[in-house]
Amino acid sequence: MKTPAPGRACGVVLVLLSLATLQTLRAQKNDIDIYSLTVDSRVSSRFAHTVVTSRVVNKASTLQEVTFQMELPKKAFITNFSMIIDGVTYPGNIKEKAAAQEQYSAAVERGESAGLVKATGRKTEQFQVSVSVAPAAKITFELVYEELLVRHLGAYELLLKVQPQQLVKHLQMDIYIFEPQGISFLETESTFMTNELAEALTTTQNKTKAHVRFRPTLSQQQKSPEQQQDTVLDGNFIVRYDVDRTVSGGSIQIENGYFVHYFAPEHLATIPKNVIFVIDKSGSMSGRKIQQTREALIKILGDLGPRDQFNLISFSGEATPWKPQLVAASAENVNAAKSYAAAIQARGGTNINDAILMAVQLLERANREELLPPGSVTLIILLTDGDPTVGETNPSEIQKNVQEAIDGQHSLFCLGFGFDVSYAFLEKLALDNGGLARRIYEDSDSALQLQDFYQEVANPLMTSVAFEYPSNTVEAVTQDAFRLFFKGSELVVAGKLRDQSPDVFSAKVRGQLHMENITFVTESRVAEQEEAFWSPRYIFHSFMERLWAYLTIQQLLEQTVSMPDAEKQALEARALNLSLSYSFVTPLTSMVITKPEGQEQSQVAEKPVENENRHRNVHSGHTLFRYHSVGGKASRVSGGSSADPVFSTRRGWRGQGVFDKLYNFPTRLGPPGPLHPHLPYPPHRTPWRPTPPDVMPRLSATSFLDEHDMDLRIKETTMASPHHAPIQPPSVILPLPGRSVDRLCVDLKRSQGPTNLLSDPGQGPESVCSLRLGSTDFPSHSWPRCPAQCQGLR
């Protein structure tokens, strides 16, 4: 979350659906007033269309800046954003990335101010738009985005985190749900609800429709009679629901020539599984990470079914199996495995290649010796927090080795702990082998995150699931074959109906249960289905075509991860055409928002790809700000704690690429603030100083912000070049190359001339390893003079 800035600023941050945040930056009393803030979300057959509207007035007698900040759900696509200032609408235009960048650059060259909203990844999205507002002027922000809700552990969820941080005269959230299958249950949950606020919450529901409204008055928002200007709204607001499933073959819904097929059969027996847990115990896992891993592993082992088989492989420089072969999940074996897990200690390097290949070999040998139960499922679950450093370290070679070894026979799931691991590497590794990748955030609930992921894959119900439709009935069908179906999830297929489709639409779903094949058959009358979506005011019409486009784009982007370059370009071209046709801001498009003329500052807000977040950790106890002048006065606007932090627990100073390539930093001892992504020090910011030695031990990687606070890059363009303040680098600790466990402690102090990091007097001057970065040099010093916090890392 972004800590608000006191003073002449106001903003709105919202994430709805899979992650939701509703926040306004704290504004000075009687200056900027957010007099209306509304959210209207319409969920039609799992597809959510959300409109956020914020209305602001400048009550001050001087020019003020208003900032609209936005966080999107991980897989939501923006479809529109606009500002209305004094009756003039400034719309956003969605274009191909290159064209958007050209328009932005041209606006800057003409002296105009433009906000460039770019999406460059598939996991999270944030952007920020600021505009100056004249005294007494009003401005309206309107944002529209869409997302397909995913069933997770038996429910769909709308999660709203409400933190307005000031009283809002008209604050209203409306969530409309229309599910033709019928709503089986619906509940709301809140962490801030009081008896007074409960009166502002209403829920109405019938068989297929529900409406949740939250509309607190000013008095209901007040924290207490003594704190009348402070709001009590601070926490999570959740709407959770599921649908009826009376037909085993799933539900086919049709609207305006498009169909969607939802498949989640119930009352199926769980298939026994053979699972190998591959656990990273390298030195970087030490501390809370290995402790949480042990805690989660012990809980997960206790959840194994009596028909399951399992084994453990722990690895650092070498991989070591707990047992020479898989064992049954009996009470005796599970207890022994728990004792083994509790004793895992973190030390050494990271040999991912050998660890995964050992897991495959164990499964292959068990299969040859007919030790795997007939009809069972084989899973490998990898947990690692870093890149390979021992054995085969080339990511491409590891991916090739693993794919050849697995050969489509097993499913590999990769969990990346923290931000020092290459997520792109893990994602491709998993998708190449029938699994998926997931980020585990370093936080107090990391163990729960691990357990939650395991619950998603703990109960396989079907394998080799294939959807079949008459070829003369449908076209442009999305993914229709799936390796596994797990309890609590849902498989979704969408497509177009041909012009001459029959009156009755039929489908078959084939798959394998534990010991038998099964075929589900379902039919749907086209006219009846079309009629179901004509009348309800809860839905937005032609939504199913947008659902089909949304799902197609998502799947095309996922396929590009595993494809060769030639095929990747073809997939991206298809995804780009759909993105432009349906006005989606995707990783291939950008939205340009042009602001009124005469405003000095231009901004670029980017969403980095998931893998870039490995460079983006910041200490959670600090707020980051941008400073610039508005109307001749200093105005401080929160740039958010995610505004391109450039320090990470391994990679260190992101702005210095040479240093990145030479060493991986084992801990971050740098400043809390962000740096401009293309400058060695931050413009418009006061310089930071090294953290005092007595404070350094308190700065741990586990206290960094999670990914949702690390996605926003702000690129600022001003008409005048700022004066750059000097920067004082921090102390760092460098691991030595190769298999050495020694560390080199370095004070990063400003000096003149290159710095010798390592040298061997016996080999002469050619053995000297020196480094110069810009005008900043990095002299090493001997261990006896290292700060106290370095001594224990030798």
Side-chain angles (χ1 to χ4, degrees):
M1 291 303 302
K2 299 171 179 60
T3 306
R8 313 161 197 264
C10 162
V12 177
V13 177
L14 172 78
V15 178
L16 184 60
L17 309 178
S18 61
L19 167 75
T21 306
L22 180 59
Q23 176 186 23
T24 57
L25 301 178
R26 189 181 300 275
Q28 227 175 35
K29 186 178 179 180
N30 299 325
D31 275 5
I32 296 296
D33 178 34
I34 307 167
Y35 60 90
S36 177
L37 185 58
T38 64
V39 179
D40 183 279
S41 184
R42 297 174 184 263
V43 184
S44 304
S45 187
R46 285 70 143 183
F47 195 64
H49 174 90
T50 300
V51 180
V52 184
T53 307
S54 174
R55 294 180 171 87
V56 178
V57 61
N58 179 13
K59 291 186 175 182
S61 58
T62 58
L63 189 71
Q64 300 291 308
E65 182 173 84
V66 177
T67 300
F68 184 92
Q69 285 185 323
M70 175 69 196
E71 284 189 50
L72 284 177
K74 287 187 175 181
K75 292 193 174 182
F77 289 158
I78 298 173
T79 64
N80 187 45
F81 179 79
S82 63
M83 299 182 293
I84 303 175
I85 305 173
D86 292 332
V88 179
T89 300
Y90 299 87
N93 298 311
I94 297 177
K95 300 187 175 187
E96 184 179 359
K97 267 187 181 180
Q101 184 65 50
E102 288 176 5
Q103 181 174 339
Y104 165 75
S105 301
V108 173
E109 289 176 1
R110 291 193 304 268
E112 300 174 4
S113 182
L116 179 61
V117 183
K118 302 207 301 188
T120 57
R122 300 183 303 280
K123 302 300 179 181
T124 60
E125 178 165 329
Q126 293 184 345
F127 75 88
Q128 172 176 297
V129 176
S130 299
V131 63
S132 297
V133 182
K138 294 182 179 180
I139 180 171
T140 298
F141 299 102
E142 183 176 276
L143 171 80
V144 183
Y145 62 89
E146 296 172 348
E147 182 185 22
L148 179 64
L149 300 184
V150 176
R151 191 167 185 250
H152 175 72
L153 298 178
Y156 310 97
E157 207 171 80
L158 299 173
L159 171 60
L160 201 65
K161 189 165 186 179
V162 185
Q163 290 182 309
Q165 299 193 15
Q166 71 174 57
L167 303 181
V168 181
K169 184 177 180 180
H170 178 218
L171 193 156
Q172 181 170 325
M173 291 181 285
D174 287 288
I175 299 171
Y176 302 92
I177 300 172
F178 175 61
E179 291 290 351
Q181 287 179 248
I183 300 173
S184 62
F185 84 90
L186 183 143
E187 63 186 17
T188 61
E189 177 184 320
S190 174
T191 59
F192 56 78
M193 195 63 64
T194 63
N195 291 334
E196 291 77 13
L197 283 175
E199 298 176 1
L201 176 64
T202 59
T203 302
T204 57
Q205 179 184 349
N206 60 23
K207 180 174 175 55
T208 59
K209 304 173 187 175
H211 177 203
V212 177
R213 169 170 288 179
F214 182 59
R215 187 178 182 179
T217 64
L218 285 172
S219 60
Q220 289 170 331
Q221 296 175 47
Q222 290 175 351
K223 182 170 272 189
S224 67
E226 295 77 22
Q227 298 172 296
Q228 295 186 3
Q229 298 304 314
D230 293 331
T231 178
V232 72
L233 302 179
D234 185 3
N236 296 331
F237 183 82
I238 300 170
V239 178
R240 188 179 295 112
Y241 77 95
D242 199 11
V243 300
D244 291 322
R245 289 179 173 81
T246 57
V247 180
S248 297
S251 172
I252 296 176
Q253 298 169 25
I254 302 170
E255 190 239 7
N256 199 29
Y258 288 79
F259 78 93
V260 61
H261 188 173
Y262 294 109
F263 181 76
E266 297 184 330
H267 312 300
L268 298 180
T270 299
I271 299 176
K273 61 182 178 292
N274 311 283
V275 57
I276 297 182
F277 301 96
V278 183
I279 307 300
D280 184 347
K281 63 171 185 177
S282 61
S284 58
M285 284 284 291
S286 63
R288 187 162 69 161
K289 282 194 286 189
I290 198 66
Q291 177 183 346
Q292 292 174 323
T293 299
R294 290 193 296 255
E295 176 187 336
L297 195 53
I298 289 170
K299 179 66 172 61
I300 289 170
L301 290 169
D303 291 336
L304 290 170
R307 298 186 300 165
D308 294 338
Q309 293 191 130
F310 74 102
N311 203 345
L312 304 171
I313 294 175
S314 60
F315 71 95
S316 52
E318 298 180 350
T320 306
W322 169 56
K323 296 289 186 181
Q325 60 187 21
L326 277 75
V327 298
S330 64
E332 179 181 358
N333 287 334
V334 167
N335 287 334
K338 288 181 178 180
S339 298
Y340 174 83
I344 294 177
Q345 300 295 323
R347 61 173 64 88
T350 307
N351 193 335
I352 294 176
N353 185 75
D354 288 0
I356 300 178
L357 295 184
M358 177 178 288
V360 177
Q361 291 165 5
L362 287 173
L363 291 173
E364 290 297 320
R365 187 173 66 187
N367 186 47
R368 289 194 303 270
E369 297 174 359
E370 299 183 349
L371 299 177
L372 302 181
S376 61
V377 171
T378 53
L379 308 176
I380 300 172
I381 299 178
L382 167 71
L383 172 65
T384 182
D385 78 327
D387 295 339
T389 62
V390 177
E392 179 58 71
T393 59
N394 185 314
S396 298
E397 287 299 314
I398 295 174
Q399 290 162 348
K400 176 184 175 183
N401 294 342
V402 171
Q403 187 171 18
E404 290 178 352
I406 289 180
D407 194 26
Q409 301 303 306
H410 320 293
S411 295
L412 172 63
F413 298 88
C414 299
L415 306 180
F417 205 143
F419 292 91
D420 297 323
V421 63
S422 169
Y423 189 85
F425 164 64
L426 293 184
E427 183 178 41
K428 178 171 172 54
L429 199 60
L431 293 177
D432 282 346
N433 297 285
L436 56 85
R438 182 72 54 82
R439 175 86 71 186
I440 302 298
Y441 307 117
E442 294 182 50
D443 210 337
S444 58
D445 68 339
S446 297
L448 293 176
Q449 294 176 53
L450 290 168
Q451 295 170 39
D452 183 70
F453 169 81
Y454 174 74
Q455 288 302 317
E456 292 183 49
V457 300
N459 297 289
L461 301 181
M462 292 180 65
T463 63
S464 304
V465 183
F467 291 72
E468 298 178 4
Y469 307 100
S471 59
N472 63 341
T473 302
V474 302
E475 60 181 339
V477 177
T478 61
Q479 179 181 346
D480 56 7
F482 304 85
R483 182 177 292 195
L484 291 166
F485 168 65
F486 295 100
K487 182 179 181 180
S489 65
E490 183 174 61
L491 302 181
V492 183
V493 178
K496 297 181 184 180
L497 295 180
R498 295 186 182 275
D499 293 338
Q500 303 300 322
S501 297
D503 295 336
V504 177
F505 182 83
S506 62
K508 294 180 181 180
V509 183
R510 302 182 188 274
Q512 296 178 3
L513 302 180
H514 177 205
M515 295 296 291
E516 61 178 322
N517 297 330
I518 189 171
T519 300
F520 296 98
V521 179
T522 187
E523 294 182 343
S524 183
R525 296 189 176 276
V526 176
E528 292 180 3
Q529 287 291 324
E530 292 270 13
E531 186 177 356
F533 291 102
W534 285 346
S535 57
R537 65 180 180 86
Y538 280 39
I539 74 167
F540 58 103
H541 295 283
S542 297
F543 78 92
M544 203 163 289
E545 180 178 355
R546 298 189 64 81
L547 186 160
W548 164 81
Y550 169 93
L551 190 60
T552 301
I553 293 169
Q554 292 280 19
Q555 293 177 355
L556 287 172
L557 293 174
E558 184 175 281
Q559 291 171 27
T560 61
V561 175
S562 300
M563 291 294 176
D565 288 343
E567 296 180 44
K568 180 178 179 179
Q569 291 177 6
L571 294 174
E572 287 181 344
R574 289 177 56 195
L576 173 60
N577 288 336
L578 285 172
S579 300
L580 295 173
S581 297
Y582 291 91
S583 296
F584 284 137
V585 178
T586 71
L588 304 174
T589 58
S590 300
M591 177 181 284
V592 178
I593 304 167
T594 303
K595 298 190 288 187
E597 295 184 12
Q599 298 194 18
E600 290 183 349
Q601 184 176 345
S602 298
Q603 296 176 301
V604 176
E606 288 187 334
K607 180 181 73 174
V609 295
E610 170 76 13
N611 190 45
E612 289 181 0
N613 285 328
R614 66 190 306 188
H615 301 289
R616 309 179 71 78
N617 291 326
V618 294
H619 190 264
S620 59
H622 298 272
T623 305
L624 314 177
F625 299 100
R626 292 183 293 107
Y627 293 86
H628 54 89
S629 177
V630 177
K633 296 183 179 180
S635 175
R636 184 169 70 168
V637 180
S638 172
S641 55
S642 58
D644 197 45
V646 292
F647 283 83
S648 76
T649 56
R650 287 193 178 196
R651 290 292 175 181
W653 203 356
R654 187 182 177 208
Q656 315 304 336
V658 177
F659 216 44
D660 259 1
K661 296 174 183 177
L662 288 178
Y663 293 103
N664 292 330
F665 289 9
T667 184
R668 165 197 176 261
L669 303 176
L675 302 184
H676 191 289
H678 302 299
L679 295 177
Y681 44 85
H684 312 300
R685 297 186 181 94
T686 54
W688 54 268
R689 293 292 182 262
T691 307
D694 62 325
V695 177
M696 286 182 176
R698 300 197 298 270
L699 303 183
S700 66
T702 54
S703 66
F704 293 164
L705 296 178
D706 69 19
E707 177 191 30
H708 304 300
D709 293 320
M710 281 177 271
D711 304 353
L712 180 62
R713 295 185 189 179
I714 297 297
K715 295 182 181 177
E716 299 175 358
T717 303
T718 57
M719 298 305 107
S721 299
H723 174 71
H724 297 306
I727 186 170
Q728 179 64 42
S731 297
V732 295
I733 304 165
L734 309 178
L736 298 180
R739 297 177 178 268
S740 173
V741 297
D742 291 335
R743 311 277 179 112
L744 180 67
C745 184
V746 181
D747 272 342
L748 306 183
K749 296 180 179 178
R750 195 172 184 85
S751 67
Q752 303 297 322
T755 295
N756 295 340
L757 292 181
L758 299 171
S759 64
D760 183 353
Q763 298 297 321
E766 293 184 357
S767 70
V768 175
C769 174
S770 63
L771 179 68
R772 177 197 290 266
L773 271 171
S775 61
T776 305
D777 303 310
F778 301 83
S780 62
H781 58 68
S782 61
W783 278 109
R785 293 188 288 119
C786 279
Q789 70 276 6
C790 300
Q791 295 287 348
L793 298 177
R794 271 202 299 180

